Amino acid sequence: MRIAVATGPGGAGTLRPLAEDGTPAGPAETVPDLVAAIEARERAGRPRWVWPATARLYPALLERGVRVARCHDLELAETLLLGHAGRYGEPRSVRAAWARLHGAQVPADQAPAHEGPQPSLFDTDDPAPADDLDQIVEVHAAQQWSIAALPGFALLTAAESAGALVAAEMGHDGLPWSAEKHDALLTGLLGPRPSGGLRPRRLQDLADRINDAFGPHSHVNPDSPAQILKAFAAVGLPVASTRAHVLKKIDHPAVPLLLEYKELARLHTAHGWAWLDTWVKDGRFRPEYVVGGVVSGRWATSGGGALQIPRVLRQAVVADPGWTLVVADAAQLEPRVLAALAGDRAFADAAAHGDLYAALASAFPAGGALSARDKAKIALLSAMYGGGTGEAVQLLAVLKNRFPDAFGYVEAAARAGERGRLVRSLLGRTCPPPSADWRALTSTGDDDRASSALRSRGRFTRNFVVQATAADWALVLLATLRRRLTGLGSPRLVFFQHDEVIVHAPQELAGQVTAAIHASAQEAARLLFGGTPVVFPMEIAAVPCYADAK
DNA sequence: TTCATAGGCGCG
DNA sequence: AAAGCGCGCCTATGAA
């Protein structure tokens, strides 16, 4: 059973039961308290809720303690369907989808109402227009018809919608975060918290010593790459850039000071006290996730930088007393995905257990500075990213000879991209078409810029098929894990980063959570790849602090 | 003063 | 000179 949901004014709304294919299975009903009505029907029968956008509607339910098992997010589904049709970037609102169905003028999407107090959806003074239930019902039915015709899309849209539920729940529950530990870490590395916009003591000290190293009259701002370049040129050491790996190659007393400065300055500006004040409240870090924010299907964030937390700050992620963090990481996910995708028998056999790179190592010649395992890893990464300079050239040749189907799979994706064609993940998530600029550039000449653009597009599509299918797998894992955790009661998903999840759970449930994660990884592999011999092992640790994992 | 871009680096 | 994929966030910088 499905139920379509339209929000109305003042917390009211309208509901209508639907069959799986979207045809109405009963009359529309207007309810004065939409959240209460959803809660009652959720208890009665766990329907799949059909609503315009989980991100706008679900936070208000969570505020009132209401969670739902399943939904169909119309905007996310519309985005996936448009993408599959090569129509990236067209408006995805229910109104826009309805207008497309009727050949009417398609309204542009409203900019996400940023900032301001969170859920304005149920505010009585909400200026946003109420949803139109009839449009919701009609758009949903059209989507179901399209989805049924596309292999993988039923699973893809269900998983994307479940991901939206998880994202809202994680934003609501938050990642357990110790402000005390974070502050102590900052103080230890940077010195006491400075007042005003001053540099912390340790950074100022390094800045002074960097200037001393460049000479008595030096005025270098270490935050300015341009000034650093000039300073090195002035002492006879011209460098192409100030990136850490470039600076490491030159011999000058300022280099180690600069490297230390950059690292600490980054921590201070991106995840320092200002970040702590903004993003951590009541022992929880509540980021804003954007489901499907990356074209490959990975999530993005729109604030808080949840997907770029420096490893050193994992010390601040601490379970509540009596609780534990179950930290789970998919080992070597992308090469395993390639193995399963390509159906390369020899490669899949290597990916059938343990350490994939080690299993491949015997195919690569011994000798030299690199171990055979490292060579296997470089070859794989080059194949998936489109690298292949220096030593990687020979290693790629080995890969091509020994594992021709795996090599051929990403090569075919690269060639499709170079021809301007679309490529898709296993479940059908589709890459954006090349831009008009790209077409103009690559159709006219065969100069350097044109061939560079061609190769760039090839690298993108080459990587897309792997990264996006890995995202498919991770999203299905997340969806099935969420279902299992609901069965366990109190455990909560609190973090998801591409191929890694953290569950916050009472200590006594750590074993059951661990089992649930293993089972979900297996289920995801089966749902995507059927009977592939490739395994998708999870490295799991139940720890009091995130930093203790691995 | 505001805005867009580049350079750099954090994560996978 | 650029160079292997995908992101977000910060500062410096120069144009508007």
Side-chain angles (χ1 to χ4, degrees):
Chain A
M1 173 65 73
R2 295 181 174 224
I3 303 179
V5 182
T7 57
T14 321
L15 305 174
R16 186 163 197 189
L18 306 172
E20 278 300 299
D21 69 355
T23 52
E29 179 188 357
T30 297
V31 295
D33 183 344
L34 183 57
V35 175
I38 289 175
E39 181 176 30
R41 284 160 180 76
E42 175 72 16
R43 283 197 192 157
R46 298 192 176 267
R48 187 177 294 275
W49 298 98
V50 176
W51 53 42
T54 310
R56 288 202 303 277
L57 196 142
Y58 197 37
L61 275 78
L62 292 168
E63 279 300 315
R64 288 179 52 182
V66 177
R67 292 178 185 239
V68 304
R70 304 183 299 161
C71 76
H72 175 106
D73 187 306
L74 290 162
E75 288 190 5
L76 291 176
E78 192 71 13
T79 303
L80 290 166
L81 287 165
L82 284 168
H84 190 278
R87 300 169 67 172
Y88 249 89
E90 292 190 26
R92 61 186 204 171
S93 70
V94 169
R95 292 159 174 277
W98 187 88
R100 270 190 295 270
L101 290 174
H102 291 266
Q105 176 91 27
V106 176
D109 283 341
Q110 300 201 332
H114 230 238
E115 304 319 77
Q118 266 299 13
S120 64
L121 195 58
F122 293 104
D123 287 358
T124 46
D125 56 349
D126 182 5
D131 299 327
D132 182 321
L133 183 69
D134 292 338
Q135 290 190 354
I136 287 171
V137 169
E138 194 175 339
V139 165
H140 171 253
Q143 288 186 353
Q144 287 299 86
W145 189 86
S146 301
I147 288 167
L150 298 173
F153 246 69
L155 180 56
L156 180 62
T157 49
E160 189 88 331
S161 297
L165 295 174
V166 173
E169 288 165 356
M170 292 201 315
H172 177 81
D173 294 328
L175 180 63
W177 197 280
S178 166
E180 291 78 4
K181 285 214 172 188
H182 189 161
D183 178 67
L185 188 81
L186 293 174
T187 302
L189 291 169
L190 300 168
R193 178 174 191 169
S195 56
L198 293 177
R199 279 197 183 109
R201 194 174 64 204
R202 178 77 184 145
L203 283 180
Q204 187 56 51
D205 177 48
L206 283 164
D208 293 342
R209 289 161 63 198
I210 288 164
N211 272 283
D212 291 346
F214 280 121
H217 303 297
S218 152
H219 291 289
V220 179
N221 176 2
D223 291 321
S224 167
Q227 292 182 28
I228 298 172
L229 289 186
K230 278 186 193 161
F232 276 115
V235 295
L237 289 169
V239 283
S241 85
T242 66
R243 290 179 196 168
H245 72 270
V246 174
L247 292 185
K248 274 176 192 158
K249 288 181 195 156
I250 61 176
D251 182 24
H252 186 274
V255 167
L257 300 170
L258 269 169
L259 294 175
E260 186 177 357
Y261 180 90
K262 284 159 159 294
E263 192 177 332
L264 293 177
R266 162 93 196 173
L267 179 66
H268 176 240
T269 58
H271 286 96
W273 288 282
W275 182 91
L276 189 53
D277 289 348
T278 305
W279 292 102
V280 177
K281 297 274 190 299
D282 305 321
R284 292 291 186 270
F285 165 41
R286 294 187 174 81
E288 296 161 18
Y289 295 100
V290 184
V291 172
V294 181
V295 290
S296 66
R298 286 180 169 189
W299 291 8
T301 53
S302 66
L307 303 181
Q308 303 129 262
I309 298 167
R311 295 181 75 96
V312 64
L313 271 189
R314 294 181 180 187
Q315 292 174 49
V317 181
V318 181
D320 290 349
W323 287 54
T324 189
L325 296 168
V326 184
V327 179
D329 185 292
Q332 305 161 335
L333 177 59
E334 292 195 352
R336 290 177 190 281
V337 162
L338 175 57
L341 267 180
D344 186 305
R345 193 51 204 263
F347 193 17
D349 286 345
H353 1 245
D355 181 342
L356 170 62
Y357 298 129
L360 293 174
S362 64
F364 290 84
L370 296 172
S371 69
R373 183 186 181 280
D374 286 343
K375 290 174 184 172
K377 184 172 179 177
I378 288 171
L380 250 300
L381 294 178
S382 297
M384 293 189 298
Y385 290 161
T389 55
E391 185 165 14
V393 175
Q394 275 97 51
L395 300 177
L396 266 176
V398 173
L399 189 75
K400 179 181 181 178
N401 283 327
R402 295 291 294 270
F403 309 104
D405 293 337
F407 184 86
Y409 193 90
V410 283
E411 283 295 310
R415 284 193 295 273
E418 288 166 0
R419 292 184 191 128
R421 291 171 43 201
L422 302 180
V423 296
R424 311 184 196 281
S425 76
L426 181 65
L427 295 186
R429 192 185 304 263
T430 304
C431 78
S435 66
D437 285 351
W438 185 92
R439 292 207 177 273
L441 181 60
T442 56
S443 64
T444 54
D446 54 348
D447 58 8
D448 287 352
R449 282 178 60 228
S451 67
S452 167
L454 277 175
R455 281 183 278 110
S456 173
R457 176 82 188 168
R459 287 193 303 275
F460 169 61
T461 52
R462 168 196 296 276
N463 183 253
F464 184 94
V465 292
V466 178
Q467 188 183 115
T469 303
D472 287 349
W473 179 88
L475 201 57
V476 172
L477 162 73
L478 198 65
T480 60
L481 177 59
R482 176 176 182 269
R483 190 193 69 224
R484 287 189 168 88
L485 294 181
T486 300
L488 293 179
S490 50
R492 292 276 186 261
L493 275 160
V494 290
F495 192 59
F496 172 55
Q497 188 177 31
H498 312 315
D499 61 358
E500 182 176 3
V501 297
I502 301 181
V503 177
H504 191 218
Q507 268 170 4
E508 63 272 18
L509 293 181
Q512 286 176 265
V513 170
T514 300
I517 295 170
H518 283 306
S520 295
Q522 272 196 289
E523 183 175 351
R526 185 174 53 75
L527 285 170
L528 260 72
F529 301 113
T532 179
V534 177
V535 295
F536 292 85
M538 301 294 292
E539 293 172 352
I540 306 180
V543 288
C545 172
Y546 188 14
D548 298 334
K550 287 189 198 173

